[in-house]
Amino acid sequence: MSTTFKPLADRVLIEAAPAEQVTASGIIIPDTAKEKPLKGKVIAVGVGKKDEPMTLKVNDTVIYGQYSGTEIKIDGNDYLIMKEGDIYGIIG
Amino acid sequence: MSTTFKPLADRVLIEAAPAEQVTASGIIIPDTAKEKPLKGKVIAVGVGKKDEPMTLKVNDTVIYGQYSGTEIKIDGNDYLIMKEGDIYGIIG
Amino acid sequence: MSTTFKPLADRVLIEAAPAEQVTASGIIIPDTAKEKPLKGKVIAVGVGKKDEPMTLKVNDTVIYGQYSGTEIKIDGNDYLIMKEGDIYGIIG
Amino acid sequence: MSTTFKPLADRVLIEAAPAEQVTASGIIIPDTAKEKPLKGKVIAVGVGKKDEPMTLKVNDTVIYGQYSGTEIKIDGNDYLIMKEGDIYGIIG
Amino acid sequence: MSTTFKPLADRVLIEAAPAEQVTASGIIIPDTAKEKPLKGKVIAVGVGKKDEPMTLKVNDTVIYGQYSGTEIKIDGNDYLIMKEGDIYGIIG
Amino acid sequence: MSTTFKPLADRVLIEAAPAEQVTASGIIIPDTAKEKPLKGKVIAVGVGKKDEPMTLKVNDTVIYGQYSGTEIKIDGNDYLIMKEGDIYGIIG
Amino acid sequence: MSTTFKPLADRVLIEAAPAEQVTASGIIIPDTAKEKPLKGKVIAVGVGKKDEPMTLKVNDTVIYGQYSGTEIKIDGNDYLIMKEGDIYGIIG
């Protein structure tokens, strides 16, 4: 994106994976799950909070909760802003 | 503004961007968002809390949550007072 | 006032500005604000809490939330007692 | 009082001032106040909590919130037990 | 009691004073009190929590809140188990 | 039991005493108690949390609250898993 | 699984044991339990939080609460992501 966005503190900017790509990657969200985990890519990472450096890096593929984060559109694309603590883990 | 306002602790004074300018800058707020993020400019910054220096600087363009902050009018202009922790990130 | 009042810990004693004086000073409270910020003068300041010195000084003009503090009358005048953390900032 | 009472930790024992004495001392409680601050005299003081020494001393005249503390009768007199943090300030 | 009971952490074992003994000792519980403070004797004391040694000693006569602690019967006698922080003070 | 169970952090594994054994040991649970304290034996103890070593040892007889812990069956026997902080004290 | 998953912070990835295997291993969940503890195997472990290293290791057999964690499917298999603090203990 031409507009840069720098998350504050322990926040990360996430680009959600499209629904079909989720299945292809080996992650299938069960229909019965109370909260569906979702997959996305890390686009930008804050500098962390005092004495708490960030673990995530740009381009990490992550799983996060269905209700995590706030939607935002930058240069016509949809992203999510959330805290690193809302992210379950990294897919390799 | 001729009246100066110095935020206390970890608060910042924000001048919200007008609605039309938001679209022009590449940030479009999705209609379906539960909470719409908004764009604004940092006008004044507090000195931070003990052992927690501020990250934001005057003139930073920031994104913050729709329900963040308290409205205030100074010299006839509208501003918002909020804590730095309520701000999602900086647009460059 | 002839009766002295020394706030405990991180509390301050505030004398609210009369409603008309608020307008004259360049601060106008918007009618649509969910919580109206108010203006007042610092009359007395506590010594702060452990490792948290006070920022405010006597005679500072401050902005605080509409529902902050507790009303008290001393020598026939109305004051508010509140914590420094409830005060948004200082007007210069 | 012949029975001594030693408050534990950060508690203080307060003897509430009678209602008429409140007016005479220059403190008038506004009828419109949501919570009426009250005046009293410090009778006994705890030793404080770890790393938090007490500010109040016996015989201090203090202002505290209407709903603060627990009523107790010792040797036929009414007192209140409350934490120092519930006390707004000292009148001199 | 023949069965020994050692309270864990910051707990104390209290033997409540009988209702008539309360009056004789100079402590009268006001009928109008929202929560009636009660009197009792310390029977056993825990070792405290990390960096928080206990203030109470066995045989201290204490005042505590009406709803504090958990009832227990040991060797046919009624006791209360509560945390030291629930005790208002010591009567001398 | 042949299956070993190692509680994590500050948890302990408790074998509840049968109801009749409770009476014999001198502990009688009052019928009027809002929450009945129960008696049990410590079967296994966690290593504690950071800087908070455990006080309980295997074979300690303890009193705990009626609603504390989670039921579990190991090798056909009933146990309770709870945190040490939920245990009132040790009977000797 | 061919897809690797690295839990963030103090999270672990758990593969729940099938219901019949639970009985065979000597752990029987009582029908009357308010919350049924469940058995599973640790598949992946985060690096822990600041100053709080992890206790669990891959292949540990653990017991956790019925409502702990979030369901996720990786490469067609069901897993749970939860925090180490939600796990009761290790079965040996």
Side-chain angles (χ1 to χ4, degrees):
Chain A
M1 55 183 172
S2 58
T3 304
T4 65
F5 179 83
K6 184 69 183 168
L8 275 195
D10 57 344
R11 289 187 180 85
V12 291
L13 187 70
I14 301 288
E15 186 179 35
E20 54 277 10
Q21 186 177 326
V22 170
T23 311
S25 70
I27 303 286
I28 301 167
I29 309 306
D31 284 345
T32 60
K34 278 153 278 171
E35 187 197 355
K36 291 177 196 270
L38 300 174
K39 192 175 116 177
K41 191 170 75 169
V42 176
I43 302 299
V45 177
V47 296
K49 300 179 82 168
K50 183 180 151 65
D51 292 330
E52 293 177 27
M54 301 294 274
T55 299
L56 292 173
K57 295 182 302 299
V58 170
N59 284 327
D60 280 346
T61 301
V62 294
I63 299 290
Y64 54 89
Q66 183 178 11
Y67 305 115
S68 297
T70 300
E71 300 174 30
I72 186 173
K73 240 185 194 158
I74 305 180
D75 294 342
N77 298 313
D78 290 310
Y79 299 98
L80 284 162
I81 308 168
M82 66 185 72
K83 300 192 172 192
E84 186 175 279
D86 292 333
I87 292 179
Y88 296 142
I90 305 171
I91 291 183
Chain B
M1 56 183 170
S2 59
T3 304
T4 65
F5 179 83
K6 184 68 183 167
L8 274 195
D10 57 344
R11 289 187 180 85
V12 292
L13 187 70
I14 301 289
E15 186 179 34
E20 54 277 11
Q21 187 178 325
V22 171
T23 311
S25 71
I27 304 288
I28 302 167
I29 309 306
D31 284 346
T32 60
K34 278 153 279 173
E35 188 197 355
K36 290 176 197 270
L38 300 174
K39 192 176 117 178
K41 192 170 73 170
V42 176
I43 303 299
V45 177
V47 296
K49 301 180 82 169
K50 184 179 152 63
D51 293 330
E52 294 177 26
M54 300 293 274
T55 299
L56 292 172
K57 296 182 303 299
V58 170
N59 283 326
D60 279 346
T61 301
V62 294
I63 300 289
Y64 55 90
Q66 183 179 11
Y67 304 115
S68 297
T70 300
E71 301 174 31
I72 186 174
K73 240 183 195 162
I74 304 180
D75 294 341
N77 298 313
D78 290 310
Y79 299 98
L80 285 161
I81 308 169
M82 66 185 72
K83 300 192 172 192
E84 186 175 279
D86 292 333
I87 292 180
Y88 297 141
I90 306 171
I91 291 183
Chain C
M1 56 183 172
S2 58
T3 304
T4 65
F5 180 83
K6 184 68 183 167
L8 275 195
D10 56 344
R11 289 187 180 84
V12 292
L13 187 70
I14 301 289
E15 185 179 35
E20 55 276 12
Q21 186 178 324
V22 171
T23 311
S25 71
I27 303 287
I28 301 167
I29 309 306
D31 283 346
T32 60
K34 278 153 280 173
E35 188 198 355
K36 291 175 196 270
L38 299 174
K39 193 176 116 177
K41 192 169 74 170
V42 176
I43 302 299
V45 177
V47 296
K49 301 180 82 169
K50 184 178 151 61
D51 292 330
E52 294 177 26
M54 301 293 274
T55 300
L56 292 173
K57 296 183 303 297
V58 170
N59 284 327
D60 279 346
T61 301
V62 294
I63 300 290
Y64 54 89
Q66 184 178 11
Y67 304 115
S68 298
T70 300
E71 301 173 31
I72 186 173
K73 240 185 194 161
I74 304 180
D75 294 341
N77 298 313
D78 290 310
Y79 299 98
L80 285 161
I81 309 169
M82 67 185 72
K83 299 191 173 193
E84 185 176 280
D86 292 332
I87 292 179
Y88 297 141
I90 306 170
I91 291 183
Chain D
M1 55 183 174
S2 59
T3 303
T4 65
F5 180 83
K6 185 68 182 167
L8 274 195
D10 56 344
R11 289 186 179 84
V12 292
L13 187 70
I14 301 289
E15 185 179 35
E20 55 277 11
Q21 187 177 324
V22 171
T23 311
S25 71
I27 303 288
I28 301 167
I29 309 305
D31 284 345
T32 60
K34 278 152 281 173
E35 188 197 356
K36 290 176 198 271
L38 299 175
K39 192 176 118 177
K41 191 169 74 170
V42 176
I43 302 300
V45 177
V47 297
K49 302 179 81 169
K50 184 178 151 62
D51 292 330
E52 295 177 28
M54 300 294 274
T55 300
L56 292 173
K57 297 182 303 297
V58 170
N59 283 328
D60 280 345
T61 301
V62 294
I63 299 291
Y64 54 90
Q66 184 177 11
Y67 304 115
S68 297
T70 300
E71 299 174 32
I72 186 173
K73 239 183 195 163
I74 304 179
D75 295 340
N77 297 314
D78 291 310
Y79 299 97
L80 284 162
I81 308 168
M82 66 185 73
K83 300 191 172 192
E84 185 175 280
D86 292 333
I87 292 180
Y88 297 141
I90 306 170
I91 291 184
Chain E
M1 56 183 172
S2 59
T3 304
T4 64
F5 180 83
K6 184 68 182 168
L8 275 195
D10 56 343
R11 289 187 179 84
V12 292
L13 187 70
I14 301 288
E15 186 178 36
E20 54 278 10
Q21 187 176 326
V22 171
T23 311
S25 70
I27 303 287
I28 301 166
I29 309 306
D31 285 345
T32 60
K34 278 151 280 173
E35 187 196 356
K36 289 175 198 271
L38 300 173
K39 192 176 117 177
K41 191 170 74 169
V42 177
I43 302 300
V45 178
V47 297
K49 302 180 82 169
K50 184 179 150 62
D51 292 331
E52 294 177 27
M54 300 294 274
T55 299
L56 292 173
K57 296 183 303 298
V58 170
N59 283 327
D60 278 346
T61 301
V62 294
I63 300 290
Y64 55 90
Q66 184 179 10
Y67 304 115
S68 297
T70 301
E71 299 173 32
I72 187 172
K73 238 182 197 168
I74 304 179
D75 295 341
N77 298 313
D78 290 310
Y79 299 98
L80 284 162
I81 308 167
M82 66 184 74
K83 301 191 172 192
E84 185 175 280
D86 292 332
I87 292 180
Y88 297 141
I90 306 169
I91 291 183
Chain F
M1 56 183 171
S2 59
T3 304
T4 65
F5 179 83
K6 184 68 183 169
L8 275 195
D10 57 343
R11 289 186 179 84
V12 291
L13 187 70
I14 301 288
E15 185 179 34
E20 54 278 10
Q21 187 177 327
V22 171
T23 310
S25 70
I27 302 287
I28 302 166
I29 309 306
D31 285 345
T32 59
K34 279 152 278 172
E35 186 197 356
K36 289 175 197 271
L38 300 174
K39 192 176 118 177
K41 191 170 74 170
V42 176
I43 303 299
V45 177
V47 297
K49 302 179 82 169
K50 185 180 149 63
D51 292 331
E52 293 177 27
M54 300 294 273
T55 299
L56 292 172
K57 295 183 303 299
V58 170
N59 283 327
D60 279 347
T61 301
V62 295
I63 300 290
Y64 54 89
Q66 184 179 10
Y67 304 116
S68 296
T70 300
E71 300 173 30
I72 186 172
K73 239 183 196 165
I74 304 180
D75 295 340
N77 297 313
D78 290 311
Y79 299 97
L80 285 162
I81 308 168
M82 67 185 73
K83 301 192 172 192
E84 185 176 279
D86 292 332
I87 292 179
Y88 296 142
I90 306 170
I91 291 183
Chain G
M1 55 182 173
S2 58
T3 304
T4 65
F5 180 83
K6 184 68 183 168
L8 275 195
D10 57 343
R11 290 187 180 85
V12 292
L13 187 71
I14 301 289
E15 185 179 35
E20 55 277 11
Q21 187 177 327
V22 170
T23 309
S25 71
I27 302 286
I28 302 167
I29 308 306
D31 285 345
T32 60
K34 279 152 277 170
E35 187 197 356
K36 290 176 197 270
L38 300 174
K39 192 177 117 177
K41 191 170 74 169
V42 176
I43 303 299
V45 177
V47 297
K49 301 179 82 169
K50 185 180 151 63
D51 293 331
E52 294 177 27
M54 300 294 274
T55 299
L56 293 172
K57 294 182 304 298
V58 170
N59 283 327
D60 279 346
T61 300
V62 294
I63 300 290
Y64 54 90
Q66 184 178 10
Y67 305 116
S68 296
T70 300
E71 301 173 28
I72 185 172
K73 239 185 194 157
I74 304 180
D75 294 341
N77 298 313
D78 290 310
Y79 298 98
L80 285 162
I81 308 167
M82 68 185 72
K83 300 191 172 192
E84 185 176 280
D86 292 333
I87 292 179
Y88 296 142
I90 305 171
I91 290 184

